[in-house]
Amino acid sequence: MKLERVSDVIWELGKGARPDMNVPVRVLADDVLMEHIGGDHSLEQLVNVSTLPGVVRVALGMPDMHEGYGFPVGGVAATALPDGVVSPGGIGFDINCGVRLLATPLEKTELVALEPLVHELSRSIPAGYGREGRLGLTRDELDHVLGEGAPWLVRERGMGREEDLAHIESRGALEGADASKVSDRAKERGHDQLATLGGGNHFLEVQAVTRIFDEDAARVLGLHEGQVTVLVHTGSRGLGHQVCTDYVREMDAALARHHITLPDRQLACAPLSSREGRDYFAAMCAAANFAFCNRQALTHRVREVFERVLGRGVGQRIRVVYDVAHNVAKIETYDGQRLCVHRKGATRAFGPSSPDVPAAYRSIGQPVLIPGSMGTASFVLVGTDAAKDISLSSSCHGAGRAMSRTAAKAAVTGAQIRKELEARGIVVRCPSSGELAEEAPLAYKDVDRVVDVVARAGVARRVARLEPLGVIKG
Amino acid sequence: MVHDTADFVPYSTRADGSIVIAAQHSFDEHRGEVRLRVEAETLRAVFEEAARALCELTAGGCTAPPDATPVRVVLRAIDLEALFADWLNELIFLSETRKEVFPDVHVEQITDQDVVATVRGVEPSVVRTPVKAATMHDLHVALDDGTWKASIVLDV
């Protein structure tokens, strides 16, 4: 299957390329990233996505796309309501894995206590497998978290401020969430995991703004060069994983009843109008609310630690810049048509004219947060109105893996990575050398290149570049 | 179809006298996740070996103590491949909720749609690779030239 270049960084494959395709495939990439994409099965997986019942417009691959299971990571597809399908694999196991950016009142030059700060953050924020969040939620409270999201945590547990909510995607609560559609098994798996980072590629970074690309937009976001920021990357933990497992199983068993055949069983799906489809969507929204609460609880912890280590009211002056989901399905309207937009390893990128952009940011567009791989730069962008037609208002979510974990561990050791980061003055807290190696920068694509493609495609505009000062991983 | 549940034999001999190791597994390259491949003489052995492989992937080699509490696993699925995915997902669920891994596995009964087993676990001293779920992507369980072969992608 050969993609045709239709513009600078946009490639397309017509729907005639395979008889079962319902829509064409579009990939955002430059020549180097296209070569990466050609090196795994992600394009074939995207073609499989284009066969989903009810899929409309185009199946999209972001520049950081890589092979996943079912949907590729970095894949976007929309299905038309009411009978288009929803596919749990199109969101992923880590429902609402996402990123939150916090702005501190500090300058990098003021941060002389970096090592004790990172050390205290690593002590106060559970990271890694099996760590508990110590919130002591009752099952009833967990149901409130699932049903009401971050507003409940702020209101009932005092973990954050009302103004935080205005700067979270969907104000930290997805409409339609129903805790009763989340299984007891999922609740059992996740009940003690709120306020935890998890492991794998999840992290918390203390950063400094090293470059401003757009002074006006940066001013609106409250960012300036030299400012200290914190980036948190985590999701719905075991609760979200179990929700996905439960509903892939349920929908797989119901495919024949819905007269659906699929090229990949992990694409298991059901019409949004069906009982399975409605139940999954409600459970997915609930799991997404859990993840918003997770990042809200971690924000509270970050504020506490900054205050404890640095005093002077620093913690209380930490602001939420924005919080984005990169594994979620949302009901959105395109040219008057209501669509279920699946984003798996992709970030929403609404432009200034969208009413869903926070009022404070409506002059510039929705912030798009792109974390780099460990030790590399992260970026803040803002979405454009043009993204609607180019990419279903979607952008990349990170750098995207370029090699397997095994290959990464063969190429470099955790000790080498730790040494390299520390030689650059970056404070590292990660107990697992294996994980450091697996998440090494060489295992990922070049985030500068990925972001450059997004900008050249017209999907989002660069605002700021952030570089790590301290990294905490599970 | 009910599959043989006789006492597990670690190897067997072909007609030509060559030895066949009854169960083995490998982890294959995958860009973001891990593919597990298992081969064994019997379906029961495939399920047991897959469980041990999951334990090894998660926590390395470990042994359940003699006084470990047995946990009964009873599952039913629409077909054999779904059953295999359910089996590993059940062990992943039990691992995360009991904070254990399960190196000691005994499948008592297995059909194309049902499995009954007892597993005994141990708290791992270190977690190498937490596994989120077993996926249904490119999932195969089939008898091939006298050997049961299974392949499954794990989200890590």
Side-chain angles (χ1 to χ4, degrees):
Chain A
M1 284 183 290
K2 197 163 170 10
L3 291 125
E4 296 251 346
R5 181 175 232 142
V6 299
S7 70
D8 180 29
V9 290
I10 298 178
W11 306 70
E12 287 189 359
L13 183 72
K15 71 176 193 179
R18 218 169 79 182
D20 54 346
M21 289 171 74
N22 289 325
V23 295
V25 154
R26 180 180 299 157
V27 176
L28 309 186
D30 64 9
D31 292 307
V32 171
L33 292 170
M34 274 307 298
E35 211 170 303
H36 276 294
I37 285 166
D40 65 19
H41 297 291
S42 52
L43 182 57
E44 182 188 335
Q45 291 180 339
L46 199 58
V47 172
N48 289 343
V49 168
S50 78
T51 73
L52 286 173
V55 70
V56 295
R57 299 192 170 225
V58 68
L60 285 147
M62 294 297 112
D64 54 343
M65 182 171 75
H66 68 81
E67 182 176 351
Y69 37 84
F71 267 66
V73 178
V76 178
T79 56
L81 272 63
D83 298 322
V85 299
V86 62
S87 176
I91 289 100
F93 286 98
D94 196 355
I95 296 169
N96 192 7
C97 186
V99 184
R100 177 177 288 207
L101 179 65
L102 306 174
T104 80
L106 296 169
E107 303 298 312
K108 180 184 171 186
T109 48
E110 293 180 87
L111 196 49
V112 294
L114 175 64
E115 180 129 16
L117 177 66
V118 174
H119 178 71
E120 193 60 22
L121 284 167
S122 72
R123 276 168 32 102
S124 304
I125 289 172
Y129 178 81
R131 299 291 305 280
E132 295 178 18
R134 304 190 295 262
L135 284 196
L137 288 179
T138 64
R139 283 301 172 94
D140 186 55
E141 286 175 322
L142 179 59
D143 280 351
H144 281 290
V145 162
L146 297 172
E148 299 172 54
W152 183 87
L153 204 68
V154 169
R155 190 180 68 242
E156 299 297 332
R157 282 295 193 108
M159 300 190 92
R161 307 188 286 254
E162 180 68 30
E163 68 222 46
D164 295 343
L165 303 175
H167 296 154
I168 304 172
E169 187 175 321
S170 305
R171 292 185 60 86
L174 295 194
E175 222 176 286
D178 185 346
S180 73
K181 303 305 179 189
V182 175
S183 69
D184 287 340
R185 288 161 66 88
K187 291 174 186 175
E188 191 178 341
R189 212 169 146 180
H191 78 95
D192 61 354
Q193 293 184 342
L194 206 60
T196 67
L197 206 54
N201 63 1
H202 292 167
F203 65 80
L204 184 147
E205 268 190 10
V206 179
Q207 306 167 319
V209 179
T210 54
R211 187 173 168 190
I212 297 292
F213 298 94
D214 184 327
E215 291 285 351
D216 292 337
R219 194 166 28 250
V220 171
L221 295 176
L223 297 174
H224 60 268
E225 202 168 310
Q227 182 180 14
V228 173
T229 58
V230 177
L231 198 69
V232 182
H233 175 214
T234 187
S236 53
R237 313 284 287 101
L239 184 139
H241 308 164
Q242 192 65 41
V243 166
C244 182
T245 297
D246 291 342
Y247 279 95
V248 165
R249 183 181 192 278
E250 188 170 332
M251 289 184 179
D252 176 70
L255 286 173
R257 185 156 41 80
H258 291 299
H259 309 291
I260 294 173
T261 56
L262 297 166
D264 184 332
R265 261 175 113 166
Q266 187 64 23
L267 290 172
C269 54
L272 274 152
S273 52
S274 69
R275 201 247 334 135
E276 294 90 354
R278 288 195 307 271
D279 285 357
Y280 168 70
F281 196 83
M284 182 214 68
C285 289
N289 289 350
F290 183 94
F292 283 131
C293 284
N294 196 21
R295 294 195 289 275
Q296 186 63 30
L298 292 175
T299 297
H300 183 70
R301 293 276 183 257
V302 167
R303 283 173 169 145
E304 284 181 331
V305 169
F306 268 73
E307 195 57 42
R308 199 155 62 237
V309 175
L310 301 172
R312 302 178 286 136
V314 165
Q316 291 315 307
R317 287 182 286 145
I318 289 175
R319 249 186 336 108
V320 177
V321 175
Y322 204 60
D323 178 315
V324 292
H326 57 232
N327 281 356
V328 79
K330 293 281 195 72
I331 307 299
E332 297 168 1
T333 302
Y334 292 81
D335 299 322
Q337 191 182 25
R338 291 183 79 221
L339 305 180
C340 178
V341 182
H342 298 64
R343 295 186 178 98
K344 181 178 174 183
T347 311
R348 193 185 72 177
F350 280 172
S353 68
S354 168
D356 290 317
V357 174
Y361 299 154
R362 220 158 274 159
S363 62
I364 58 171
Q366 175 220 304
V368 177
L369 309 174
I370 307 300
S373 58
M374 188 177 50
T376 65
S378 302
F379 286 85
V380 181
L381 301 93
V382 286
T384 67
D385 288 332
K388 237 184 169 179
D389 290 328
I390 298 167
S391 64
L392 288 166
S393 298
S394 305
S395 178
C396 60
H397 80 307
R401 285 199 79 92
M403 68 171 67
S404 71
R405 288 176 168 76
T406 312
K409 285 197 285 194
V412 71
T413 66
Q416 277 173 290
I417 295 297
R418 195 183 297 271
K419 212 169 161 186
E420 279 169 24
L421 293 174
E422 288 172 352
R424 289 167 47 199
I426 299 172
V427 178
V428 181
R429 290 290 181 270
C430 175
S432 165
S433 284
E435 203 161 277
L436 275 180
E438 286 175 2
E439 298 301 318
L442 57 81
Y444 285 83
K445 297 169 189 174
D446 177 354
V447 67
D448 285 82
R449 182 179 292 280
V450 168
V451 166
D452 180 60
V453 166
V454 161
R456 281 159 64 187
V459 163
R461 297 184 291 120
R462 275 175 287 224
V463 176
R465 179 189 171 98
L466 317 169
E467 291 183 17
L469 303 174
V471 177
I472 293 158
K473 286 186 60 58
Chain B
M1 190 200 312
V2 176
H3 295 274
D4 174 35
T5 55
D7 283 346
F8 177 64
V9 176
Y11 64 88
S12 62
T13 310
R14 291 201 181 97
D16 64 4
S18 60
I19 300 289
V20 176
I21 295 173
Q24 54 186 326
H25 69 267
S26 63
F27 297 110
D28 285 5
E29 289 286 293
H30 188 284
R31 189 59 63 96
E33 317 305 336
V34 171
R35 182 188 297 282
L36 167 64
R37 294 191 196 277
V38 182
E39 287 188 18
E41 286 276 284
T42 67
L43 187 62
R44 186 187 94 164
V46 162
F47 273 57
E48 291 179 346
E49 185 67 12
R52 284 191 286 269
L54 179 64
C55 178
E56 177 191 311
L57 177 66
T58 305
C62 46
T63 313
D67 59 349
T69 305
V71 179
R72 195 160 177 75
V73 175
V74 180
L75 299 170
R76 163 165 284 189
I78 61 167
D79 57 41
L80 181 55
E81 283 157 347
L83 184 67
F84 190 59
D86 281 359
W87 167 242
L88 292 177
N89 277 319
E90 182 67 15
L91 295 174
I92 290 164
F93 168 78
L94 289 171
S95 274
E96 200 159 333
T97 52
R98 296 174 65 90
K99 314 277 193 262
E100 290 181 323
V101 291
F102 300 94
D104 188 335
V105 182
H106 177 58
V107 170
E108 296 158 26
Q109 186 179 334
I110 189 160
T111 71
D112 285 348
Q113 291 180 285
D114 298 273
V115 62
V116 178
T118 301
V119 299
R120 291 166 64 251
V122 61
E123 188 179 337
S125 57
V126 66
V127 173
R128 284 172 21 176
T129 307
V131 180
K132 292 179 197 149
T135 80
M136 301 196 81
H137 170 64
D138 208 18
L139 170 59
H140 304 289
V141 184
L143 188 61
D144 177 17
D145 195 23
T147 301
W148 279 96
K149 294 181 181 175
S151 170
I152 191 164
V153 174
L154 304 173
D155 183 347
V156 297

